[in-house]
Amino acid sequence: MKLIDSYAVLEKIRDLIYSLLEARDRAMENGLEVIPVRTATPLVRYGFISMLKGGVVMDVTNEQQAEIAEDAGAVGVMVLDKLPYDVRKAGGVARTADLNVIRAVMETITIPVSAKCRIGHYWEAKLLEEIGVDLIDESEVLTPTDEKAHIWKWEFRVPFVNGARSLPEALRRIWEGASMIRTKGEAGTGNVAEAVRHMKAVNRDIAVLRGYYKAGDIEAIRLYAKSNNVPFELALLTARLGRLPVVNFAAGGIATPADAALMMWLGADGVFVGSGIFKSRDPEQRAQAIVLATTYWDDPETVAEAQSMVSERNAMPGIDITRLKPEELLQIRGE
């Protein structure tokens, strides 16, 4: 029933967007001046992102992987030079992907194409916007250029997604203009534990703020905002809604259909899968299985069917997070 309801909402959003586009076209035919749709309008920043809810965005490094993702039912792909597992192994400086590869992927598939830029790297983001990607991930997986200041995203037409480990971090990114939040997890490990920890931390603080709001204790919300260095208006809006004001996906360590279902059960609006698919030995089957488990996460029979489509023996190699040195953790970058 929830699935049917969510599709109904998505169809209404799609119909609304198409109706507005048709109205814009009629206005232009009548000689009226209109604001270009991609100029940072709510349609692009929030309407497009909302249409990804309930789906899977997969990391890819070439056109062949992008085709596998599209055929499996992914709602989008994220183009990287290397998968997070390989970024971790290679070390050195990780930058945005080759623009020619991103263009080739855009010409190959029909689903939305995203790409990562380094934290604080304004010009990498500008170049990604220039070639027409659908979403930019200002990502801690790449080597940050500025550990303190993120990109001021309101200056861009294209929507952004940012990682967060807590509610204050998420609200700071939304204040900067992020249209989507994702858990940071610990990318490239195949271990979903950190993504779980981050999702629970966000949910816990939202529940606290919601409690303040229902009790009419606005001063407590103001104190929370001040002590965590977040705008009061955003904290108040979150308290009133009882959720983040933007879409919240899970990311970092998702490697199996059960991982994806777990994150949806914890309240994620969808999932990003990084190395979990294309560092496995069964990428086609695993991609299909993770999409199936994400879509029907609240139906144990279907998730079991999805999990049975793959074998643990073919999963990506896992990394024990407790054995990583503090400086090897990607999730702490760019707070």
Side-chain angles (χ1 to χ4, degrees):
M1 191 64 183
K2 287 182 179 178
L3 179 66
I4 295 173
D5 289 345
S6 67
Y7 278 140
V9 170
L10 288 174
E11 287 174 356
K12 288 180 180 177
I13 293 173
R14 182 197 61 194
D15 292 345
L16 173 63
I17 291 174
Y18 285 140
S19 297
L20 291 172
L21 290 172
E22 289 171 359
R24 180 205 60 171
D25 292 342
R26 287 197 298 271
M28 292 176 67
E29 289 171 1
N30 293 328
L32 298 176
E33 185 176 347
V34 299
I35 300 173
V37 136
R38 290 183 64 84
T39 306
T41 64
L43 279 180
V44 173
R45 285 194 175 279
Y46 302 110
F48 159 67
I49 296 297
S50 296
M51 296 180 76
L52 303 180
K53 290 178 70 172
V56 181
V57 179
M58 300 181 188
D59 281 357
V60 302
T61 60
N62 54 50
E63 305 99 287
Q64 292 73 33
Q65 291 179 352
E67 287 181 317
I68 291 173
E70 182 173 44
D71 290 345
V75 294
V77 298
M78 179 75 68
V79 185
L80 297 89
D81 181 50
K82 302 182 187 68
L83 295 171
Y85 181 88
D86 294 323
V87 169
R88 183 181 293 282
K89 291 291 184 184
V93 177
R95 309 179 183 90
T96 194
D98 186 326
L99 297 188
N100 295 312
V101 173
I102 299 173
R103 286 193 183 99
V105 170
M106 293 167 65
E107 292 170 359
T108 301
I109 61 175
T110 59
I111 56 179
V113 175
S114 313
K116 293 180 185 290
C117 73
R118 283 177 273 178
I119 291 175
H121 205 311
Y122 178 87
W123 271 101
E124 277 189 349
K126 270 295 177 187
L127 297 180
L128 293 176
E129 180 179 61
E130 181 64 25
I131 66 171
V133 300
D134 296 293
L135 176 70
I136 295 175
D137 186 353
E138 189 182 13
S139 175
E140 69 281 357
V141 170
L142 307 185
T143 309
T145 57
D146 191 330
E147 286 282 0
K148 299 296 181 184
H150 284 67
I151 295 169
W152 185 247
K153 291 163 270 288
W154 294 110
E155 295 182 15
F156 288 75
R157 301 187 305 272
V158 63
F160 276 69
V161 55
N162 277 92
R165 298 192 297 166
S166 65
L167 181 59
E169 189 177 7
L171 295 183
R172 285 195 287 274
R173 299 291 87 79
I174 295 168
W175 177 74
E176 294 164 354
S179 303
M180 173 194 261
I181 293 296
R182 55 169 173 75
T183 56
K184 283 186 171 177
E186 188 54 40
T189 62
N191 188 337
V192 76
E194 291 301 286
V196 169
R197 188 163 69 86
H198 301 162
M199 185 64 72
K200 286 186 174 181
V202 170
N203 289 344
R204 184 170 58 246
D205 272 23
I206 290 175
V208 170
L209 286 179
R210 182 65 178 165
Y212 292 152
Y213 184 81
K214 293 178 73 173
D217 193 351
I218 304 302
E219 193 55 34
I221 299 173
R222 193 183 306 279
L223 180 61
Y224 176 93
K226 183 177 181 180
S227 61
N228 289 287
N229 194 29
V230 300
F232 165 69
E233 292 77 7
L234 266 181
L236 180 61
L237 177 60
T238 302
R240 182 169 64 80
L241 295 174
R243 58 174 172 77
L244 280 177
V246 301
V247 172
N248 185 20
F249 270 42
I254 296 170
T256 70
D259 288 346
L262 173 65
M263 297 311 301
M264 296 296 287
W265 178 70
L266 288 173
D269 294 313
V271 300
F272 285 92
V273 184
S275 309
I277 292 172
F278 292 106
K279 294 304 294 183
S280 73
R281 296 177 181 173
D282 53 0
E284 290 89 352
Q285 299 95 322
R286 195 164 295 267
Q288 294 170 11
I290 289 179
V291 168
L292 182 63
T294 303
T295 304
Y296 296 98
W297 63 269
D298 57 349
D299 178 3
E301 182 178 352
T302 305
V303 176
E305 176 188 343
Q307 188 72 21
S308 301
M309 292 167 63
V310 297
S311 168
E312 173 62 20
R313 285 174 290 185
N314 293 325
M316 67 170 284
I319 296 176
D320 184 353
I321 296 173
T322 61
R323 295 189 177 185
L324 294 175
K325 299 175 183 176
E327 62 269 25
E328 294 177 323
L329 294 175
L330 304 180
Q331 62 180 276
I332 62 174
R333 292 170 160 180
E335 291 190 70

